[in-house]
Amino acid sequence: MPFGNTHNNFKLNFKSDEEYPDLTKHNNHMAKVLTKEMYEKLRGKQTSSGFTLDDIIQTGVDNPGHPFIMTVGCVAGDEESYEVFKDLLDPIISDRHSGYKATDKHKTDLNFENLKGGDDLDPNYVLSSRVRTGRSIKGYTLPPHNSRGERRAVEKLSVEALNTLDGEFKGKYYPLNKMSDADQEQLIADHFLFDKPVSPLLLGAGMARDWPDARGIWHNEQKSFLVWVNEEDHLRVISMEKGGNMKEVFRRFCVGLNRIEETFKKHNHGFMWNEHLGFVLTCPSNLGTGLRGGVHVKLPKLSTHPKFEEILTRLRLQKRGTGGVDTASVGGVFDISNADRLGSSEVQQVQMVVDGVKLMVEMEKKLEKGEAIDSLIPAQK
Amino acid sequence: MAHSFGRILSSKRNVGILSLIGAGSVTAGFLLKREHVSAGAGVRRVYPASAEYPDLRKHNNCMASHLTPAIYAKLVDKATPNGYTLDEAIQTGVDNPGHPFIKTVGMVAGDEESYQVFADLLNPVIKERHNGYDPETMTHPTDLDSSKLTSGQFDDRYVLSSRVRTGRSIRGLSLPPACTRAERREVERVVVDALAGLKEDLAGKYYSLTNMTDQEQQQLIDDHFLFDKPVSPLLTCSGMARDWPDARGIWHNNTKTFLVWINEEDHTRVISMEKGGNMKRVFDRFCTGLKEVERLIQEKGWEFMWNERLGYILTCPSNLGTGLRAGVHVKLPRLSKDPRFSKILDNLRLQKRGTGGVDTAAVGSTFDISNLDRLGQSEVQLVQTVVDGVNYLIECEKKLEKGQDIKIPAPYRK
């Protein structure tokens, strides 16, 4: 839980050694990088909103991690965190994003026309398609740090911006604390409703404070474009539909995002972005595009093939269960999405999903016919 | 002491002395004498208090009942000398709206000074929770002379076990919601050091949660001593589970009748217990053990947080005063089914819990029966209340066994 700027000064009365966390049993990116020397160097700093080193790392201290899954173990409290604490965050970013260097530049490309294909994924296999990203609103602190007043201001501004959308994007906002039972049931049935986080990774970072104050869901009338307000990030933007038309999902995603951004800019609060880190979000794992483009796809045979994991790795894709992160697959249906976020553009990442899923469906069909798939296994992308 | 705590302690001791002589609010002048953070040093605020005031319309806890927008506005810019703020103190109550039947407190203290800096909110909360006790005008009696206890031996056919617990905080160090890792580790050092000085039937051993062997862990589980990382959102939302299990541990004596938890919900929780109905012996050991631990920490220049208005200072306002819960596990198969059971307990100033402790259900009509009150009466008075009350309950059970009728006792008068 963040303590605000009044507390860090008091802590400095104690020696760095006495405050340094015990990370001997930890396995996360933060624990790998944060030496005693680095702790000593950074503990006296704070961003201008008062976010401190201990605020950044608390979630990683409280969640030692898993031997198989390497979590990030830290969060940003504001845009400045990535600058003030770059000595800690740059190596973590590099570890997490395949060697991305402190001097690298990230390319943003939201021109949906640059995507090739993607409208022909076989709907007998691809049950649904979805692209999500996050956006942070410049000038406000992030969910681990923001006060109630700030979070409410983010909500107010976001709802104003979203209410200006028209045409295919015309929609409505449902605040979590004023939801009628009927609305709630409908949102659950549509698989739109998000609930108070239960993961200790999120709770340990303080982003569930004051729930459900200033949290809500906005969606368009066709239920194909959805925005979460004040969950893990200021905004999570989601475009989705049943079937395999990823091209259309991506078009709507890009057009909708650009419209929203225009509106925010008019209010003098554009999105947090810079040419090194791309879009700035709460978790360092979501920097760059913050984009996860994926499908729910039936791969009962391929998923049990001994080379399944390797194929995914080579295609730069990851699998999840149909409940999202940290869930299991049900009935051979997997959530397949891009593994990368930083260092490649939106178009490039969605292209990888489109090409990769198309290939895997081909493999599945071959396996159904009892044929081998070795000739189809690609080189490392 | 070359240790950084030495300098902090000497200024904190002045606070302690002021508190002991009953000074109400710690004055701003004194606070500025502290060498570290000055009180009220810029709590970062971008929005006016009205924009920050929490939405408490669906809440049912003591904090929500008393935190008016006016009080919020008055206190939101303040911080204790350690930098603890109102928003931090109330976070647990904002995040946990409460239950229609069970009214939780909804706030915590981050340090001893919280009870003064946020008195405008804490005093009405304390008053509501502790039956009208007014910290501004009343004084709390402390009495650990267990020789005064009478009739403290229960019928073993009914009482399966007897237990007394309390908490103690080390003056000069922040409480679990706010403490830094260094402070928490210092609490551990101070207390473990003192406990190592206990002798004879109190001599024992410390088991640190970070260094426990599997065997030790299993033994502690079998003995029902091991405490785990809190899961209750009431506790986790206040920040007291941070850095788990760093500097947490369990100490117990060799006979397993005197137990100390370190850095769980409070700096220390002290427990005396044994099977059977000898509450007198349990309370004797409790008082002797506590006084001995106090003597040992004082030898090293430390003391417990205490003042004559609030008694012993603990994290949760519900545990102020004595912080004492004296209880038994008692078999009351007939009485517990009698419709008058709750009223009888009320009038005896007792509460029932299941045998798993707070928020658990009774198993096979064995109940955990303990005192309701904590503040405004002394340890001796409260344990006597439990002794008299449990004896009465057993008498009722025996009467019902013989087919005789029972009476609801008159409401308890001090």
Side-chain angles (χ1 to χ4, degrees), chain A residues 321-364:
Chain A
T322 48
V325 69
D326 298 331
T327 67
S329 136
V330 174
V333 179
F334 283 83
D335 175 318
I336 303 290
S337 63
N338 54 298
D340 301 323
R341 304 268 186 276
L342 178 63
S344 50
S345 75
E346 288 80 355
V347 167
Q348 285 171 315
Q349 288 167 9
V350 176
Q351 192 69 66
M352 275 189 259
V353 175
V354 160
D355 296 344
V357 169
K358 200 161 174 195
L359 180 62
M360 290 198 295
V361 168
E362 264 183 63
M363 289 178 174
E364 181 72 20

Side-chain angles (χ1 to χ4, degrees), chain A residues 1 3 5-7 10-11 13 18-20 25 39 49 54 58 62 140 147-150 152 177 210, chain B residues 36-37 42 44 47 51-53 58 72 83 87-88 91 95 177-178 180-183 185 210 237 243:
Chain A
M1 185 168 108
F3 279 100
N5 56 315
T6 51
H7 198 251
F10 167 68
K11 237 181 256 188
N13 286 295
E18 290 162 358
E19 289 289 353
Y20 182 70
K25 298 193 182 120
Y39 186 81
S49 75
D54 276 336
Q58 191 67 56
D62 288 347
Y140 295 101
S147 68
R148 282 180 293 272
E150 236 174 342
R152 290 163 179 170
N177 61 359
D210 314 312
Chain B
H36 47 280
V37 180
R44 170 194 167 254
Y47 293 86
E52 296 287 2
Y53 182 72
K58 295 189 183 131
Y72 183 78
D87 278 334
E88 284 152 14
Q91 190 68 60
D95 288 346
T180 73
R181 279 183 291 271
E183 287 184 297
R185 291 162 179 172
T210 46
C237 289
D243 313 313

Side-chain angles (χ1 to χ4, degrees), chain B residues 52-199:
Chain B
E52 296 287 2
Y53 182 72
D55 181 352
L56 301 172
R57 290 171 296 173
K58 295 189 183 131
H59 287 59
N60 182 42
N61 55 52
C62 296
M63 178 279 290
S65 297
H66 297 284
L67 184 65
T68 61
I71 292 181
Y72 183 78
K74 185 176 176 195
L75 298 179
V76 77
D77 286 323
K78 297 188 195 290
T80 67
N82 304 352
Y84 195 68
T85 64
L86 177 72
D87 278 334
E88 284 152 14
I90 66 171
Q91 190 68 60
T92 178
V94 175
D95 288 346
N96 296 289
H99 193 275
F101 305 154
I102 303 169
K103 197 160 187 185
T104 45
V105 175
M107 66 184 296
V108 291
D111 47 29
E112 187 165 11
E113 292 85 348
S114 295
Y115 285 102
Q116 275 123 12
V117 174
F118 306 118
D120 285 333
L121 176 61
L122 275 160
N123 285 351
V125 165
I126 289 167
K127 207 166 172 186
E128 179 181 345
R129 179 61 180 217
H130 295 281
N131 268 322
Y133 183 88
D134 186 352
E136 285 179 47
T137 57
M138 296 177 175
T139 55
H140 168 80
T142 292
D143 185 356
L144 285 161
D145 180 0
S146 60
S147 68
K148 293 179 184 160
L149 192 72
T150 61
S151 313
Q153 171 73 62
F154 300 121
D155 188 334
D156 275 0
R157 289 171 298 170
Y158 296 87
V159 174
L160 304 177
S161 59
S162 309
R163 179 183 188 267
V164 182
R165 70 88 159 148
T166 189
R168 289 290 186 265
S169 309
I170 308 295
R171 173 160 283 157
L173 297 167
S174 307
L175 297 170
C179 65
T180 73
R181 279 183 291 271
E183 287 184 297
R184 200 186 295 113
R185 291 162 179 172
E186 185 70 0
V187 168
E188 186 187 34
R189 262 194 294 271
V190 168
V191 176
V192 170
D193 196 43
L195 293 169
L198 292 175
K199 298 191 181 355

